[in-house]
């Protein structure tokens, strides 16, 4: 059996009871270690808690070495641990498909992830649209395909969850080209960098999917003891020091329910300004008033 087990957001004890029972019976335990990190637990702490050796699974192992993860899983139990929920990344769907193709039984044990815990900021989950990922820009690579998804969400009034890039065990382009297995130090995108990149692409596109004055909420260390939220415009959050990782951002949709707004005001430095910013922003993509069709005079 291959077990896909969600670990939750922060602590070693966030794993479910059923998940922990499954881990303890597995002969090998892998921890996916590139789409997210468990903020309040180290590999050593997890090993002590589980009573098992934990093998870190980087992107290369998961995407190119899945045969090693699935080895003998038709005869013994293997655990694949994922921070958050197992299906928070499409890579893990691919692993399930490979297991099924090999005739290996798969069981998924779910847990909390940013996709549902984001509701802690006060925005209602059913008012969210497409989620996007913001990657680190380079001088020669500044992808902006996510821009159209924000535009589509905002057009129909929905909020956009922005997941911020992390770089763990990544090689520089030079080292990769030279075949040198030298890895860069871990990097975690901040709220300010994300907002700066948002503003850079808006300046380039000029389609006003959002503006510097569009309201947003910064989310830091969701699910941990130091969890914080900050409401402000994209321009204001570009100057925000969000502290230690991990971070995410929500760009408000055109429609913001009064209860959502009241909750977000708790995280705003200037409550009246933020209320005004939200009110002004709701004019973007606002549908034109309905006008009844004119009848021809001879039909009267």
């Amino acid at each position: 059996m291959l077990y896909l087990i969600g670990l939750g957001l922060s602590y070693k004890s966030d794993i479910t009871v059923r998940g922990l029972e499954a881990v303890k019976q597995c002969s090998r335990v892998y921890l996916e270690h590139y789409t997210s990190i468990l903020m309040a637990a180290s590999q050593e702490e997890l090993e002590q808690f589980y009573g098992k050796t934990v093998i870190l699974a980087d992107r290369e192992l998961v995407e190119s070495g899945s045969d090693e993860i699935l080895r003998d899983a038709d005869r013994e139990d293997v655990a694949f641990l994922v921070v958050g929920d197992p299906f928070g990344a499409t890579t893990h769907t691919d692993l399930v498909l490979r297991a099924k193709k090999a005739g290996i039984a798969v069981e998924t044990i779910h847990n909390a992830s940013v996709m549902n815990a984001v509701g802690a900021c006060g925005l209602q989950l059913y008012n969210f649209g497409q989620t996007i990922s913001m990657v680190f820009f380079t001088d020669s690579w500044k992808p902006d395909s996510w821009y159209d998804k924000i535009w589509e969400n905002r057009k129909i009034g929905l909020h956009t969850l922005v997941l911020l890039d992390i770089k763990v065990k990544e090689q520089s382009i030079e080292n990769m080209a030279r075949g040198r297995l030298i890895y860069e130090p871990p990097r975690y995108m901040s709220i300010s960098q994300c907002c700066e990149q948002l503003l850079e692409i808006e300046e380039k596109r000029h389609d006003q999917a959002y503006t510097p004055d569009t309201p947003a909420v910064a989310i830091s260390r969701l699910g941990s003891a130091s969890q914080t939220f900050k409401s402000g415009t994209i321009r204001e959050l570009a100057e925000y020091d969000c502290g230690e990782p991990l971070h995410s951002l929500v760009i408000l949709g055109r429609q913001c329910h009064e209860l959502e707004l009241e909750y977000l005001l708790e995280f705003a430095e200037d409550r009246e300004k933020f209320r005004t910013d939200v009110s002004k922003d709701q004019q973007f993509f606002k549908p034109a008033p309905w006008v009844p069709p004119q009848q021809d005079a001879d039909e009267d």
Side-chain angles (χ1 to χ4, degrees):
M1 173 82 72
L2 172 67
Y3 286 96
L4 267 70
I5 303 173
L7 297 185
L9 293 168
S10 189
Y11 301 96
K12 62 185 181 184
S13 54
D14 283 347
I15 190 172
T16 64
V17 173
R18 188 160 71 93
L20 182 58
E21 289 173 346
V23 168
K24 288 183 176 295
Q25 73 183 39
C26 288
S27 58
R28 295 197 313 281
V29 178
Y30 294 91
L31 172 61
E32 189 264 85
H33 193 59
Y34 65 92
T35 61
S36 189
I37 59 169
L38 207 58
M39 291 178 285
S42 65
Q43 178 183 358
E44 292 74 18
E45 289 171 325
L46 291 179
E47 290 179 331
Q48 184 176 14
F49 187 62
Y50 301 151
K52 293 281 184 178
T53 298
V54 174
I55 305 166
L56 295 183
D58 58 16
R59 183 186 299 274
E60 183 179 358
L61 177 59
V62 177
E63 296 183 351
S64 303
S66 58
D67 289 346
E68 172 58 25
I69 296 174
L70 299 177
R71 175 174 52 83
D72 297 330
D74 56 339
R75 300 192 298 272
E76 57 190 34
D77 293 327
V78 176
F80 185 75
L81 310 181
V82 181
V83 175
D85 187 80
F87 291 111
T90 55
T91 296
H92 310 140
T93 304
D94 180 67
L95 184 62
V96 171
L97 291 174
R98 290 173 183 269
K100 290 184 175 181
K101 187 175 180 180
I104 298 170
V106 178
E107 182 172 340
T108 303
I109 301 176
H110 295 283
N111 210 320
S113 76
V114 64
M115 303 293 286
N116 62 330
V118 66
C121 74
L123 297 174
Q124 297 163 3
L125 292 179
Y126 47 74
N127 288 336
F128 278 77
Q130 303 170 86
T131 296
I132 68 167
S133 296
M134 180 66 69
V135 301
F136 284 106
F137 285 179
T138 68
D139 292 339
S140 59
W141 188 61
K142 299 181 179 182
D144 62 358
S145 58
W146 45 263
Y147 184 91
D148 296 321
K149 294 181 180 180
I150 298 177
W151 190 94
E152 290 167 0
N153 287 345
R154 299 253 299 156
K155 184 73 173 179
I156 57 177
L158 299 179
H159 311 311
T160 303
L161 172 60
V162 186
L163 303 177
L164 276 56
D165 199 7
I166 72 171
K167 296 290 188 186
V168 178
K169 200 178 178 184
E170 297 278 343
Q171 292 176 272
S172 67
I173 295 176
E174 179 183 356
N175 285 331
M176 191 180 301
R178 295 178 179 273
R180 297 186 298 211
L181 293 178
I182 300 174
Y183 300 101
E184 301 291 295
R187 289 192 296 154
Y188 306 93
M189 183 178 288
S190 66
I191 296 293
S192 60
Q193 183 169 6
C194 174
C195 289
E196 287 169 0
Q197 292 186 180
L198 283 167
L199 295 175
E200 181 178 351
I201 296 303
E202 173 53 43
E203 188 174 344
K204 169 188 170 185
R205 297 281 293 261
H206 286 302
D207 290 330
Q208 291 194 316
Y210 51 86
T211 74
D213 296 319
T214 293
V217 54
I219 302 171
S220 300
R221 299 168 298 281
L222 184 63
S224 75
S226 61
Q227 164 181 294
T228 59
F229 304 101
K230 176 75 169 180
S231 301
T233 64
I234 295 176
R235 190 202 321 264
E236 290 168 344
L237 294 178
E239 303 293 329
Y240 172 52
D241 181 359
C242 52
E244 294 295 312
L246 297 169
H247 309 289
S248 53
L249 180 78
V250 180
I251 301 171
L252 267 63
R254 172 178 49 81
Q255 302 179 75
C256 182
H257 192 277
E258 186 62 28
L259 285 177
E260 293 180 303
L261 177 57
E262 288 302 315
Y263 210 106
L264 293 178
L265 289 174
E266 297 296 315
F267 314 127
E269 284 189 11
D270 187 332
R271 295 167 63 96
E272 289 310 310
K273 180 182 181 302
F274 187 75
R275 185 185 292 275
T276 300
D277 290 334
V278 171
S279 178
K280 288 181 179 178
D281 186 70
Q282 289 177 344
Q283 301 307 309
F284 279 90
F285 301 121
K286 188 174 183 179
W290 183 78
V291 177
Q294 299 232 350
Q295 293 183 324
D296 295 335
D298 56 358
E299 293 180 2
D300 293 338

